[in-house]
Amino acid sequence: MVDSKEQLDAWGSAVTQMKEQIGRVIVGQHEVVEQLLWCILAGGHALIEGIPGLGKTMLVKTIADTVDLSFARIQFTPDLMPADITGTNVIQFGTKGDTSYKFQKGPLFGHVVLADEINRATPKTQSALLEAMQEKTVTVGSETYHLPSPFFVLATQNPLEQEGTYPLPEAQLDRFLLKINVTYPTKTELKEIVLRTTSAKQQQAEKVADGALLQDIQLGLKEILVAEDVLDYAVQLLMNTHPEEATAPEEVKQYIRFGSGPRGVQSMIGVAKVRAFLAGRFHVSKQDLHVVAIPALRHRLFLNFEGQAMGVSPDKIIQAIISSMENRR
């Protein structure tokens, strides 16, 4: 519960400390770090995309190091089976020769789960994550087990090498609160990366928060206000991702096959509340929606054949939607 401006400031101070600790290990990538923290504070999952070597795995591990939560890493490969991540029943032999079954938990039973190169696993294994991400439970046989709380899946994938990969189905993509693109570092950042990684002393992030604090923040952020006109704006922004919508811009009608589902606007509002909180505000603004719309919707827009052939970027489509809405005001 948000009792006062002082409590909001205290929570903001904790997040600032997390950023400082992350900055001790990770060079640059301020926007990526910011968006990952949006996901964690909103209680959602993140899909992180970037070419190999940009520190995606290190970034997730470092964020986990700043919070007193259990961390598990799953390296996805084509031969990975669902039981390898969820766990399985194992036979136990008693002293008198009797047998019983005991459930042995898999790595999915961690607070922060790094699903590394998630698109390298088969659809059967990928689908094992669906229940965990949506319901935060795992069903093995006739038994359902609850995952620890809070629970986050932070998945990475490589957009370049597609041989031996299995693209995530739309239903699973929709479970990710944000899709975060990791960009290449600048010259200055590259020099700093080399200096940090080749020196004798390696920096480590310290724990500055715990699960209870994160859950308090998540609960408190639900009280951030969303005015009626701001909510209407978010809903219309989502509707304009559909080519059959009358007010959709020409780019949507020409290149989009299917627009975003309801989770798109839920994600925008949830993350916009986090951004408002980090700015010290008790209310969501339209500017918040403009900033969060791209990472919240880019994986929820599906291009038609022409859009794919032309290499159209969903980010530019979303920018066109925002521009068209602003021009009508």
Side-chain angles (χ1 to χ4, degrees):
M1 300 288 288
V2 182
D3 297 323
S4 63
K5 182 70 163 60
E6 288 73 22
Q7 187 175 44
L8 204 65
D9 291 340
W11 289 347
S13 176
V15 176
T16 300
Q17 291 180 51
M18 290 178 66
K19 290 181 183 178
E20 290 173 353
Q21 292 300 318
I22 294 168
R24 293 177 60 183
V25 180
I26 302 299
V27 178
Q29 301 295 353
H30 302 295
E31 186 174 323
V32 175
V33 171
E34 185 88 5
Q35 292 178 8
L36 267 173
L37 289 175
W38 290 350
C39 270
I40 289 174
L41 297 178
H45 313 291
L47 178 61
I48 309 164
E49 186 172 276
I51 63 175
L54 295 186
K56 302 184 295 296
T57 301
M58 177 61 73
L59 174 58
V60 174
K61 179 65 170 63
T62 302
I63 288 179
D65 286 342
T66 66
V67 186
D68 191 14
L69 295 173
S70 61
F71 173 77
R73 175 182 177 180
I74 306 172
Q75 184 66 48
F76 280 69
T77 56
D79 60 348
L80 194 71
M81 298 300 291
D84 295 330
I85 63 174
T86 61
T88 187
N89 290 315
V90 295
I91 300 177
Q92 288 191 321
F93 295 94
T95 55
K96 298 181 180 180
D98 56 318
T99 60
S100 61
Y101 286 94
K102 181 182 179 181
F103 179 66
Q104 182 172 309
K105 295 179 179 180
L108 204 53
F109 284 82
H111 289 101
V112 181
V113 177
L114 168 59
D116 219 355
E117 294 190 288
I118 189 173
N119 57 334
R120 291 204 172 278
T122 60
K124 183 177 182 179
T125 303
Q126 290 177 6
S127 65
L129 281 174
L130 282 176
E131 179 188 358
M133 294 172 66
Q134 185 63 29
E135 308 297 335
K136 299 186 178 179
T137 59
V138 166
T139 301
V140 178
S142 59
E143 294 292 328
T144 298
Y145 303 90
H146 290 276
L147 293 169
S149 184
F151 173 72
F152 310 101
V153 172
L154 305 179
T156 69
Q157 68 176 13
N158 173 12
L160 297 181
E161 188 182 353
Q162 297 303 312
E163 185 177 349
T165 63
Y166 303 84
L168 296 179
E170 290 79 358
Q172 187 160 1
L173 283 172
D174 203 29
R175 261 64 173 191
F176 287 103
L177 186 70
L178 299 180
K179 180 182 178 184
I180 302 170
N181 290 342
V182 182
T183 56
Y184 204 78
T186 63
K187 287 183 179 180
T188 303
E189 290 170 347
L190 276 173
K191 288 175 63 178
E192 181 63 24
I193 289 171
V194 173
L195 291 174
R196 289 194 189 185
T197 55
T198 58
S199 64
K201 185 177 180 181
Q202 299 294 315
Q203 292 287 344
Q204 294 290 329
E206 298 178 359
K207 297 186 185 302
V208 293
D210 57 22
L213 175 63
L214 288 184
Q215 289 180 306
D216 285 345
I217 295 176
Q218 290 170 5
L219 186 61
L221 291 186
K222 294 184 184 299
E223 298 182 35
I224 299 291
L225 301 176
V226 182
E228 187 76 19
D229 63 318
V230 174
L231 181 57
D232 289 340
Y233 188 89
V235 170
Q236 189 57 55
L237 198 161
L238 183 89
M239 294 300 295
N240 285 346
T241 66
H242 296 264
E244 65 273 12
E245 181 70 16
T247 57
E250 190 58 37
E251 291 89 340
V252 172
K253 296 177 180 178
Q254 183 176 358
Y255 298 121
I256 296 297
R257 183 183 180 194
F258 297 113
S260 172
R263 285 195 186 94
V265 71
Q266 291 174 322
S267 297
M268 282 193 293
I269 292 297
V271 177
K273 286 185 175 186
V274 178
R275 188 175 187 272
F277 150 67
L278 293 176
R281 289 183 277 108
F282 280 103
H283 66 279
V284 172
S285 69
K286 291 181 180 178
Q287 181 60 34
D288 292 325
L289 296 175
H290 293 168
V291 174
V292 306
I294 290 179
L297 297 178
R298 59 162 56 115
H299 55 301
R300 294 183 165 99
L301 302 187
F302 303 101
L303 301 172
N304 57 23
F305 178 78
E306 183 179 359
Q308 294 176 26
M310 295 290 292
V312 175
S313 166
D315 291 16
K316 292 185 178 180
I317 297 288
I318 298 166
Q319 289 171 340
I321 293 171
I322 294 172
S323 297
S324 68
M325 293 179 67
E326 289 300 293
N327 291 337
R328 290 195 189 97
R329 293 175 63 186

